[in-house]
């Protein structure tokens, strides 16, 4: 009987212990019993150590049975020295120094317009005539007086050369003739202003004022004349390129609207930095043989600002950055067949070209660089190379 009671008591104790082990962390915490909480923590620590030990045993066995398990698979390429030409890409507008609004120099009625829109004209060609307001009649009268003054002066000069007459008579005749000549010259200059001439050869783009209108100097716009032969593109370049973008630099000019590309050079690089946007202006001359390029047309410029005949270029996508802000890539060391060790290499980068970037330091010719899989490896880790791309 006593033996049966002892067995029952032992079973009760074991059941109580198992019940405590099965209690969740939340349930143990809810008891507010310090001894139970400590006991639960100790139990979990023992379980954690046991699981960690078992995982290590399993990993060791897996690696023994399958050596390639957990070895990253990567592709690589060899660093090559290539010619690198960098282009600064900016946008500009087509312009011409011969794009002018013509204003009258004389007030009056625009009596004649001799040209029409689209007409080609040469320098000095008469474009229009303004009523001179009677200046022509005044000129005719002055001419008569001038002719008389010249005749009088010629006779007085002959007498003076023969020592006949007084000096004062000679000087008066000379003064009168010269005054009349200057008056005629001045009036001719005024009349000449009534004739509107082309300041340069080009095309009449717009006839702004119609015949019969009253015009005034500096106020009435008469014509717009454009010369499409001496064209150039003007663009703003950031100041950091002031030492790279200079006169004579090669430029690729693209006109998206026309589907046209032209090779040219920088004709002029400005020496003034605009304080508002920290840029300087450049001019790129462009030929316009077919006349399709118009003022204010948008153009894309690719200015050659840098060349390196022995540059190493790598994809930007494989570059990572550490906590110190340093950029790095992985190369292959201790290579044996298709196996190797990943090595982290700190690099310094330069200019970009599409998806590629120039390496200034850290890599040399023929270094084998990890391409695909670069984000999944660690420094010193064993890797397996699937493909070696020699044409990168």
């Amino acid at each position: 009987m006593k033996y049966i009671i002892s067995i029952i008591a032992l079973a009760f104790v074991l059941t109580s212990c198992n019940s405590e082990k099965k209690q969740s962390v939340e349930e143990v915490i809810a008891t507010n019993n310090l001894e139970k909480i400590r006991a639960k923590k100790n139990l979990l620590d023992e379980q954690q150590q046991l699981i960690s030990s078992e995982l290590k045993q399993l990993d060791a066995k897996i690696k023994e049975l399958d050596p390639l398990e957990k070895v990253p698979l990567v592709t690589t390429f060899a660093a090559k020295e290539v010619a690198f030409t960098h282009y600064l890409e900016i946008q500009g507008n087509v312009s011409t120094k011969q794009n002018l609004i013509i204003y009258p120099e004389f007030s009056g009625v625009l009596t004649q317009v001799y040209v029409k829109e689209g007409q080609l004209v040469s320098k000095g060609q008469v474009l229009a005539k303004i009523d001179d307001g009677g200046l022509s009649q005044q000129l005719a009268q002055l001419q008569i007086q001038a002719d008389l003054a010249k005749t009088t002066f010629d006779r007085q000069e002959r007498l003076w050369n023969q020592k006949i007459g007084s000096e004062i008579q000679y000087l008066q005749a000379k003064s009168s003739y010269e005054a009349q000549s200057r008056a005629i010259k001045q009036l001719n200059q005024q009349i000449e202003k009534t004739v509107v001439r082309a300041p340069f050869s080009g095309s009449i783009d717009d006839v702004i004022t119609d015949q019969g209108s009253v015009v005034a100097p500096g106020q009435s716009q008469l014509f717009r004349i454009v010369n499409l032969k001496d064209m150039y593109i003007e663009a703003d370049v950031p100041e950091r390129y002031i030492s790279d973008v200079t006169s004579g630099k090669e430029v690729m000019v693209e006109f998206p609207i026309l589907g046209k590309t032209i090779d040219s050079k920088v004709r002029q690089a400005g020496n003034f930095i605009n304080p508002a946007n920290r840029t300087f202006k450049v001019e790129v001359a462009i030929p316009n043989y077919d006349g399709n390029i118009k003022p204010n047309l948008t153009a894309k410029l690719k200015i050659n600002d840098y060349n390196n005949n022995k540059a190493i270029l790598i994809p930007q996508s494989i570059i990572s950055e550490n906590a110190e802000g340093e950029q790095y890539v992985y190369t292959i060391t201790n290579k044996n067949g298709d196996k190797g060790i990943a090595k982290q290499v700190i690099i310094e980068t330069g200019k970009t070209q599409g998806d590629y970037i120039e390496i200034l330091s850290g890599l040399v010719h023929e270094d084998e660089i990890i391409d695909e899989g670069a984000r999944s490896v660690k420094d010193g880790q064993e890797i397996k190379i699937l493909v070696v791309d020699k044409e990168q």
Side-chain angles (χ1 to χ4, degrees):
M1 186 66 178
K2 290 181 179 181
Y3 178 74
I4 295 173
I5 293 174
S6 298
I7 292 175
I8 294 173
L10 179 60
F12 178 78
V13 171
L14 292 174
T15 302
S16 298
C17 292
N18 289 334
S19 176
E20 290 179 1
K21 289 182 179 181
K22 291 180 181 179
Q23 281 185 307
S24 66
V25 173
E26 291 79 7
E27 291 173 343
V28 173
I29 292 174
T31 62
N32 286 326
N33 188 316
L34 181 59
E35 292 182 358
K36 288 186 177 182
I37 294 174
R38 285 178 174 172
K40 186 64 174 179
K41 181 180 180 302
N42 293 335
L43 177 62
L44 293 176
D45 287 340
E46 293 175 358
Q47 292 176 347
Q48 182 183 18
Q49 293 175 4
L50 178 61
I51 292 174
S52 178
S53 176
E54 291 174 344
L55 285 174
K56 289 181 179 179
Q57 295 177 32
L58 293 173
D59 287 339
K61 193 61 178 178
I62 289 174
K63 189 171 184 180
E64 177 185 342
L65 297 176
D66 186 1
L68 295 181
E69 183 71 21
K70 290 191 175 182
V71 174
L73 304 178
V74 300
T75 63
T76 65
F77 65 92
K80 299 289 185 181
E81 290 181 347
V82 296
F84 175 43
T85 302
H86 182 266
Y87 293 94
L88 167 65
E89 297 187 15
I90 56 177
Q91 184 170 295
N93 291 320
V94 175
S95 186
T96 174
K97 296 187 185 297
Q98 294 186 328
N99 177 11
L100 184 67
I101 296 290
I102 300 178
Y103 288 84
E105 297 182 88
F106 194 84
S107 297
V109 178
L110 190 65
T111 56
Q112 295 289 334
V113 175
Y114 300 111
V115 293
K116 57 184 178 179
E117 293 178 357
Q119 181 176 336
L120 296 177
V121 296
S122 57
K123 182 179 180 179
Q125 181 175 333
V126 177
L127 307 180
K129 180 72 172 65
I130 302 172
D131 180 52
D132 60 20
L135 292 182
S136 297
Q137 289 79 5
Q138 294 180 32
L139 178 62
Q141 294 175 2
L142 280 177
Q143 189 64 54
I144 294 173
Q145 296 175 12
D147 291 341
L148 177 60
K150 185 177 187 305
T151 301
T152 303
F153 170 68
D154 289 342
R155 290 180 179 180
Q156 195 64 42
E157 185 178 32
R158 285 194 299 270
L159 293 173
W160 175 249
N161 291 334
Q162 297 173 9
K163 306 298 181 181
I164 301 174
S166 64
E167 183 180 5
I168 190 66
Q169 289 176 323
Y170 167 72
L171 294 176
Q172 285 177 344
K174 181 180 180 182
S175 175
S176 176
Y177 171 62
E178 289 177 349
Q180 292 294 332
S181 297
R182 284 195 293 269
I184 289 176
K185 183 178 180 180
Q186 183 177 8
L187 194 57
N188 273 323
Q189 290 176 346
Q190 288 295 105
I191 293 175
E192 181 62 24
K193 292 181 179 180
T194 66
V195 180
V196 181
R197 299 180 183 274
F200 51 80
S201 298
S203 171
I204 300 299
D205 190 64
D206 190 11
V207 177
I208 302 173
T209 303
D210 295 327
Q211 182 174 308
S213 302
V214 177
V215 297
Q219 298 180 18
S220 306
Q221 298 181 354
L222 301 183
F223 309 98
R224 176 183 289 278
I225 182 171
V226 180
N227 187 340
L228 297 181
K229 292 184 178 179
D230 186 19
M231 307 289 285
Y232 67 94
I233 297 173
E234 187 175 69
D236 293 327
V237 179
E239 64 177 339
R240 64 179 179 273
Y241 296 103
I242 195 166
S243 60
D244 299 323
V245 179
T246 56
S247 297
K249 285 284 188 177
E250 295 182 355
V251 183
M252 293 172 55
V253 183
E254 179 184 355
F255 299 98
I257 299 298
L258 303 178
K260 185 177 184 179
T261 300
I262 297 175
D263 292 329
S264 185
K265 292 185 177 181
V266 176
R267 180 170 72 183
Q268 179 181 348
N271 297 313
F272 171 74
I273 303 296
N274 188 337
N277 56 11
R278 310 306 304 175
T279 62
F280 64 97
K281 290 190 179 296
V282 296
E283 289 184 6
V284 178
I286 51 172
N288 190 21
Y289 304 116
D290 54 9
N292 288 335
I293 302 174
K294 311 294 184 182
N296 298 316
L297 187 66
T298 300
K300 292 182 179 180
L301 304 181
K302 293 183 178 180
I303 304 176
N304 174 214
D305 64 327
Y306 176 77
N307 295 288
N308 185 354
N309 292 327
K310 292 185 177 182
I312 294 177
L313 303 179
I314 67 171
Q316 298 186 60
S317 58
I318 68 173
I319 298 177
S320 301
E321 187 173 302
N322 60 24
E324 287 73 32
E326 298 173 318
Q327 294 179 311
Y328 65 88
V329 295
Y330 288 103
T331 60
I332 302 297
T333 61
N334 300 329
K335 186 176 179 182
N336 184 13
D338 61 353
K339 304 285 184 61
I341 302 298
K343 179 184 178 183
Q344 186 184 99
V345 177
I346 302 298
I347 60 173
E348 182 181 354
T349 58
K351 298 182 180 295
T352 60
Q353 177 179 277
D355 295 330
Y356 289 82
I357 191 167
E358 179 189 21
I359 302 302
L360 301 179
S361 65
L363 297 175
V364 296
H365 185 64
E366 294 297 343
D367 274 351
E368 192 168 350
I369 305 168
I370 296 179
D371 185 5
E372 295 183 16
R375 302 285 185 179
S376 61
V377 301
K378 296 180 181 179
D379 188 30
Q381 186 176 17
E382 183 182 0
I383 54 89
K384 180 180 179 181
I385 304 169
L386 289 179
V387 178
V388 178
D389 185 2
K390 295 294 185 182
E391 302 298 326
Q392 184 73 30

